[in-house]
PDB file of all heavy atoms in Angstrom:
ATOM      1  N   PHE K 114     169.638  33.178 158.630  1.00 92.00           N
ATOM      2  CA  PHE K 114     170.419  32.154 159.248  1.00 92.00           C
ATOM      3  C   PHE K 114     169.460  31.249 160.085  1.00 92.00           C
ATOM      4  O   PHE K 114     168.582  31.624 160.695  1.00 92.00           O
ATOM      5  CB  PHE K 114     171.434  32.805 160.240  1.00 92.00           C
ATOM      6  CG  PHE K 114     172.585  33.566 159.600  1.00 92.00           C
ATOM      7  CD1 PHE K 114     172.499  34.931 159.440  1.00 92.00           C
ATOM      8  CD2 PHE K 114     173.686  32.852 159.037  1.00 92.00           C
ATOM      9  CE1 PHE K 114     173.436  35.597 158.738  1.00 92.00           C
ATOM     10  CE2 PHE K 114     174.623  33.554 158.305  1.00 92.00           C
ATOM     11  CZ  PHE K 114     174.551  34.940 158.209  1.00 92.00           C
ATOM     12  N   THR K 115     169.901  29.915 159.958  1.00 90.00           N
ATOM     13  CA  THR K 115     169.121  28.934 160.636  1.00 90.00           C
ATOM     14  C   THR K 115     169.576  29.011 162.165  1.00 90.00           C
ATOM     15  O   THR K 115     170.574  29.653 162.471  1.00 90.00           O
ATOM     16  CB  THR K 115     169.446  27.439 160.118  1.00 90.00           C
ATOM     17  OG1 THR K 115     170.753  27.152 160.453  1.00 90.00           O
ATOM     18  CG2 THR K 115     169.054  27.340 158.707  1.00 90.00           C
ATOM     19  N   PRO K 116     168.832  28.328 163.089  1.00 91.00           N
ATOM     20  CA  PRO K 116     169.313  28.397 164.495  1.00 91.00           C
ATOM     21  C   PRO K 116     170.621  27.812 164.706  1.00 91.00           C
ATOM     22  O   PRO K 116     171.373  28.206 165.632  1.00 91.00           O
ATOM     23  CB  PRO K 116     168.215  27.554 165.145  1.00 91.00           C
ATOM     24  CG  PRO K 116     167.078  27.627 164.344  1.00 91.00           C
ATOM     25  CD  PRO K 116     167.571  27.713 163.007  1.00 91.00           C
ATOM     26  N   THR K 117     171.201  26.941 163.797  1.00 90.00           N
ATOM     27  CA  THR K 117     172.553  26.395 163.881  1.00 90.00           C
ATOM     28  C   THR K 117     173.563  27.333 163.249  1.00 90.00           C
ATOM     29  O   THR K 117     174.702  26.958 163.203  1.00 90.00           O
ATOM     30  CB  THR K 117     172.637  25.016 163.297  1.00 90.00           C
ATOM     31  OG1 THR K 117     172.299  25.149 161.895  1.00 90.00           O
ATOM     32  CG2 THR K 117     171.646  24.085 164.053  1.00 90.00           C
ATOM     33  N   GLY K 118     173.139  28.534 162.692  1.00 90.00           N
ATOM     34  CA  GLY K 118     174.081  29.456 162.125  1.00 90.00           C
ATOM     35  C   GLY K 118     174.443  29.259 160.629  1.00 90.00           C
ATOM     36  O   GLY K 118     175.339  29.803 160.048  1.00 90.00           O
ATOM     37  N   THR K 119     173.691  28.306 160.057  1.00 91.00           N
ATOM     38  CA  THR K 119     173.825  28.058 158.604  1.00 91.00           C
ATOM     39  C   THR K 119     173.107  29.157 157.807  1.00 91.00           C
ATOM     40  O   THR K 119     171.917  29.471 158.052  1.00 91.00           O
ATOM     41  CB  THR K 119     173.307  26.634 158.209  1.00 91.00           C
ATOM     42  OG1 THR K 119     174.116  25.728 158.946  1.00 91.00           O
ATOM     43  CG2 THR K 119     173.507  26.396 156.648  1.00 91.00           C
ATOM     44  N   ALA K 120     173.753  29.743 156.745  1.00 91.00           N
ATOM     45  CA  ALA K 120     173.123  30.760 155.948  1.00 91.00           C
ATOM     46  C   ALA K 120     172.014  30.065 155.102  1.00 91.00           C
ATOM     47  O   ALA K 120     172.175  28.938 154.605  1.00 91.00           O
ATOM     48  CB  ALA K 120     174.118  31.371 154.998  1.00 91.00           C
ATOM     49  N   SER K 121     171.008  30.841 154.914  1.00 92.00           N
ATOM     50  CA  SER K 121     169.841  30.404 154.042  1.00 92.00           C
ATOM     51  C   SER K 121     169.517  31.568 153.191  1.00 92.00           C
ATOM     52  O   SER K 121     170.079  32.650 153.348  1.00 92.00           O
ATOM     53  CB  SER K 121     168.641  29.924 154.910  1.00 92.00           C
ATOM     54  OG  SER K 121     167.663  29.470 154.181  1.00 92.00           O
ATOM     55  N   CYS K 122     168.586  31.458 152.316  1.00 94.00           N
ATOM     56  CA  CYS K 122     168.080  32.639 151.422  1.00 94.00           C
ATOM     57  C   CYS K 122     166.724  32.980 151.761  1.00 94.00           C
ATOM     58  O   CYS K 122     165.813  32.176 151.734  1.00 94.00           O
ATOM     59  CB  CYS K 122     168.185  32.134 150.006  1.00 94.00           C
ATOM     60  SG  CYS K 122     167.615  33.367 148.792  1.00 94.00           S
ATOM     61  N   GLY K 123     166.519  34.262 152.124  1.00 96.00           N
ATOM     62  CA  GLY K 123     165.293  34.774 152.412  1.00 96.00           C
ATOM     63  C   GLY K 123     164.274  34.672 151.276  1.00 96.00           C
ATOM     64  O   GLY K 123     163.058  34.443 151.544  1.00 96.00           O
ATOM     65  N   ILE K 124     164.790  34.863 150.085  1.00 97.00           N
ATOM     66  CA  ILE K 124     163.927  34.650 148.885  1.00 97.00           C
ATOM     67  C   ILE K 124     163.477  33.242 148.762  1.00 97.00           C
ATOM     68  O   ILE K 124     162.255  33.041 148.601  1.00 97.00           O
ATOM     69  CB  ILE K 124     164.726  35.128 147.575  1.00 97.00           C
ATOM     70  CG1 ILE K 124     165.152  36.625 147.677  1.00 97.00           C
ATOM     71  CG2 ILE K 124     163.905  34.946 146.417  1.00 97.00           C
ATOM     72  CD1 ILE K 124     166.146  36.994 146.689  1.00 97.00           C
ATOM     73  N   GLU K 125     164.379  32.342 148.866  1.00 95.00           N
ATOM     74  CA  GLU K 125     164.014  30.905 148.798  1.00 95.00           C
ATOM     75  C   GLU K 125     163.081  30.443 149.989  1.00 95.00           C
ATOM     76  O   GLU K 125     162.230  29.608 149.836  1.00 95.00           O
ATOM     77  CB  GLU K 125     165.334  30.021 148.744  1.00 95.00           C
ATOM     78  CG  GLU K 125     164.953  28.611 148.274  1.00 95.00           C
ATOM     79  CD  GLU K 125     166.185  27.817 147.870  1.00 95.00           C
ATOM     80  OE1 GLU K 125     167.311  28.150 148.373  1.00 95.00           O
ATOM     81  OE2 GLU K 125     165.964  26.876 147.098  1.00 95.00           O
ATOM     82  N   ASP K 126     163.349  31.041 151.137  1.00 95.00           N
ATOM     83  CA  ASP K 126     162.447  30.766 152.312  1.00 95.00           C
ATOM     84  C   ASP K 126     161.070  31.226 151.981  1.00 95.00           C
ATOM     85  O   ASP K 126     160.097  30.491 152.270  1.00 95.00           O
ATOM     86  CB  ASP K 126     162.957  31.543 153.548  1.00 95.00           C
ATOM     87  CG  ASP K 126     164.299  31.024 154.022  1.00 95.00           C
ATOM     88  OD1 ASP K 126     164.719  29.930 153.591  1.00 95.00           O
ATOM     89  OD2 ASP K 126     164.939  31.788 154.868  1.00 95.00           O
ATOM     90  N   ALA K 127     160.821  32.366 151.341  1.00 97.00           N
ATOM     91  CA  ALA K 127     159.512  32.871 150.998  1.00 97.00           C
ATOM     92  C   ALA K 127     158.938  31.961 149.881  1.00 97.00           C
ATOM     93  O   ALA K 127     157.737  31.657 149.968  1.00 97.00           O
ATOM     94  CB  ALA K 127     159.619  34.310 150.469  1.00 97.00           C
ATOM     95  N   TYR K 128     159.816  31.526 148.971  1.00 97.00           N
ATOM     96  CA  TYR K 128     159.321  30.588 147.918  1.00 97.00           C
ATOM     97  C   TYR K 128     158.894  29.307 148.585  1.00 97.00           C
ATOM     98  O   TYR K 128     157.738  28.756 148.219  1.00 97.00           O
ATOM     99  CB  TYR K 128     160.489  30.368 146.962  1.00 97.00           C
ATOM    100  CG  TYR K 128     160.232  29.249 145.988  1.00 97.00           C
ATOM    101  CD1 TYR K 128     159.533  29.470 144.771  1.00 97.00           C
ATOM    102  CD2 TYR K 128     160.717  28.013 146.144  1.00 97.00           C
ATOM    103  CE1 TYR K 128     159.357  28.513 143.843  1.00 97.00           C
ATOM    104  CE2 TYR K 128     160.539  26.953 145.256  1.00 97.00           C
ATOM    105  CZ  TYR K 128     159.829  27.293 144.077  1.00 97.00           C
ATOM    106  OH  TYR K 128     159.641  26.198 143.191  1.00 97.00           O
ATOM    107  N   ASN K 129     159.707  28.771 149.485  1.00 96.00           N
ATOM    108  CA  ASN K 129     159.346  27.443 150.136  1.00 96.00           C
ATOM    109  C   ASN K 129     158.097  27.583 150.919  1.00 96.00           C
ATOM    110  O   ASN K 129     157.345  26.612 151.150  1.00 96.00           O
ATOM    111  CB  ASN K 129     160.532  26.904 150.953  1.00 96.00           C
ATOM    112  CG  ASN K 129     161.631  26.431 150.044  1.00 96.00           C
ATOM    113  OD1 ASN K 129     161.553  26.046 148.901  1.00 96.00           O
ATOM    114  ND2 ASN K 129     162.868  26.500 150.679  1.00 96.00           N
ATOM    115  N   ALA K 130     157.780  28.732 151.455  1.00 97.00           N
ATOM    116  CA  ALA K 130     156.604  28.923 152.259  1.00 97.00           C
ATOM    117  C   ALA K 130     155.333  29.280 151.450  1.00 97.00           C
ATOM    118  O   ALA K 130     154.277  29.303 151.900  1.00 97.00           O
ATOM    119  CB  ALA K 130     156.814  30.114 153.240  1.00 97.00           C
ATOM    120  N   GLY K 131     155.529  29.307 150.088  1.00 97.00           N
ATOM    121  CA  GLY K 131     154.458  29.582 149.193  1.00 97.00           C
ATOM    122  C   GLY K 131     154.027  30.984 149.082  1.00 97.00           C
ATOM    123  O   GLY K 131     153.028  31.320 148.451  1.00 97.00           O
TER     124      GLY K 131
END
Side-chain angles (χ1 to χ4, degrees):
F114 291 97
T115 66
T117 61
T119 299
S121 186
C122 175
I124 299 168
E125 193 166 27
D126 294 343
Y128 171 84
N129 289 336

